[in-house]
Amino acid sequence: MLLALGIAIFHSHVGEPPASDPLLIRTIFNSLTWAQVYWYLGLAACISPLALAHPRWLSRGRWLLLVLGGVLFLASMLTLIAHVEQFKVIAD
């Protein structure tokens, strides 16, 4: 299901940042990035049953989820900074 959602996100360009966001954010966090996040979450979901039986898969799944969490954290922080900067310009 997450693979299908990732394909739909990539095909329909859902998650594209607005044109008012800086070029860096629009370049990094486009629909391909969000599609990959869904694909990797699907991969982590497939790995999770193996992690119960084999500790090696537990480590792989943990690293995969840490990387995905880092991507989501980075996207949130950069977007927050960009929007705060926009509000500072409007307030001045």
Side-chain angles (χ1 to χ4, degrees), residues 8-44:
I9 287 170
F10 181 68
H11 179 47
S12 62
H13 300 287
V14 174
E16 291 284 335
S20 62
D21 279 356
L23 181 62
L24 176 69
I25 292 176
R26 287 183 290 154
T27 303
I28 296 174
F29 300 109
N30 53 27
S31 60
L32 177 62
T33 303
W34 298 120
Q36 288 176 345
V37 167
Y38 275 86
W39 294 334
Y40 291 140
L41 280 172
L43 180 62

Side-chain angles (χ1 to χ4, degrees), residues 33-65:
T33 303
W34 298 120
Q36 288 176 345
V37 167
Y38 275 86
W39 294 334
Y40 291 140
L41 280 172
L43 180 62
C46 291
I47 288 174
S48 63
L50 294 171
L52 296 174
H54 304 287
R56 178 181 53 174
W57 286 100
L58 179 63
S59 175
R60 290 177 183 169
R62 184 179 300 139
W63 280 108
L64 184 60
L65 290 175

